[in-house]
Amino acid sequence: MRKTIANLMIALAMANLAISCAEDDFVADANGDAFIISKIIGAGTEADTLYGLALHAFGNKDFSKVTATSPANVVTDLASYNGSTYDYYYETAEDEFTAALPDQGNYSFSFKFITAEEDTDVDKLTDGVLFPAKITGCEYDVTNSRIKIEWDVVKDADYIVVSLKDPAGKLVYISTNLAGSKVSHEIAENTTIWYDAPDDGVTYTVIVSAFMYESVAVSMNVQAKSIATATVVWGGAN
């Protein structure tokens, strides 16, 4: 049986509040999640919906190593996500996406912490998928100094996240979790959450990611993610 993320979040809250409490005073704990990613790759008549795998791990202490073993006994190393020592991630490279779904079944996670503690978790992946959003509008509104994105509703999505990446592929903006029924979003300089300030004249990639939970709608219990992209010039066309 999978451990609940609630215990993990309680441990994190206690760690943050009890300033005088050293990390050694609570037991290392982590959760792993495997989910299917769908993405439209190619353009025009060559475009097709292909699939990849994502592996996500979150712990209450610093990781030193995280691996996941697939139902076919393929071992994958996860790496730090955005420099976090508690949050590790793996995603199939775009050129390795295929028309076939990733292996379904139990993915076994192994966690090692810098405290020399170890933990494990298991997540079952089924064949449920989400199809990518169809982006119907993506433009910079010069009058109001913001990007306006619109898309068709994504069937079965539990929540949506909109993000921006710069030409080097660096994440510069990510929204909070939006309702799965949402079909639009606006990004201004005062919109949360920016990792870097946008630059006029730079072409950014807008990413609309939709997520579907497994049977229980809680964090670290995702079954599928879909990705749709468009490009826009911050500040308007040159």
Side-chain angles (χ1 to χ4, degrees), residues 130-143:
L130 277 179
F131 291 102
K134 179 181 179 183
I135 297 176
T136 56
C138 183
E139 61 181 6
Y140 187 84
D141 180 352
V142 177
T143 301

Side-chain angles (χ1 to χ4, degrees), residues 170-214:
K170 177 184 175 183
L171 182 67
V172 296
Y173 166 85
I174 189 166
S175 72
T176 55
N177 290 357
L178 310 174
S181 58
K182 286 278 288 185
V183 292
S184 64
H185 185 63
E186 295 186 353
I187 304 172
E189 286 195 70
N190 61 352
T191 311
T192 56
I193 304 167
W194 286 95
Y195 293 102
D196 201 358
D199 294 319
D200 286 345
V202 173
T203 299
Y204 292 91
T205 299
V206 178
I207 305 166
V208 178
S209 300
F211 294 83
M212 179 175 69
Y213 288 121
E214 296 175 25

Side-chain angles (χ1 to χ4, degrees), residues 16-203:
N16 289 331
L17 291 173
I19 298 174
S20 62
C21 182
E23 275 199 345
D24 290 342
D25 293 335
F26 56 89
V27 177
D29 189 25
N31 284 80
D33 197 15
F35 52 94
I36 297 170
I37 301 179
S38 59
K39 182 186 298 187
I40 296 175
I41 297 177
T45 58
E46 301 297 321
D48 200 2
T49 300
L50 302 179
Y51 304 96
L53 174 70
L55 301 167
H56 188 197
F58 194 80
N60 66 345
K61 291 187 179 183
D62 294 329
F63 288 129
S64 61
K65 185 176 180 63
V66 178
T67 61
T69 303
S70 75
N73 289 319
V74 175
V75 179
T76 301
D77 289 319
L78 281 67
S80 170
Y81 182 74
N82 269 2
S84 173
T85 55
Y86 295 83
D87 194 355
Y88 272 41
Y89 188 72
Y90 163 84
E91 185 174 303
T92 303
E94 183 171 298
D95 60 1
E96 296 177 359
F97 272 58
T98 68
L101 295 178
D103 290 335
Q104 288 99 65
N106 288 334
Y107 283 76
S108 301
F109 290 80
S110 175
F111 313 103
K112 293 184 179 180
F113 302 86
I114 62 170
T115 56
E117 294 169 280
E118 297 185 6
D119 194 20
T120 60
D121 194 19
V122 176
D123 185 43
K124 184 176 181 179
L125 183 66
T126 65
D127 61 357
V129 299
L130 277 179
F131 291 102
K134 179 181 179 183
I135 297 176
T136 56
C138 183
E139 61 181 6
Y140 187 84
D141 180 352
V142 177
T143 301
N144 296 298
S145 303
R146 63 191 60 202
I147 297 172
K148 300 174 68 174
I149 312 110
E150 297 178 336
W151 60 89
D152 289 342
V153 65
V154 181
K155 183 181 179 182
D156 297 325
D158 286 304
Y159 67 96
I160 304 285
V161 174
V162 178
S163 55
L164 284 183
K165 287 187 177 181
D166 66 16
K170 177 184 175 183
L171 182 67
V172 296
Y173 166 85
I174 189 166
S175 72
T176 55
N177 290 357
L178 310 174
S181 58
K182 286 278 288 185
V183 292
S184 64
H185 185 63
E186 295 186 353
I187 304 172
E189 286 195 70
N190 61 352
T191 311
T192 56
I193 304 167
W194 286 95
Y195 293 102
D196 201 358
D199 294 319
D200 286 345
V202 173
T203 299

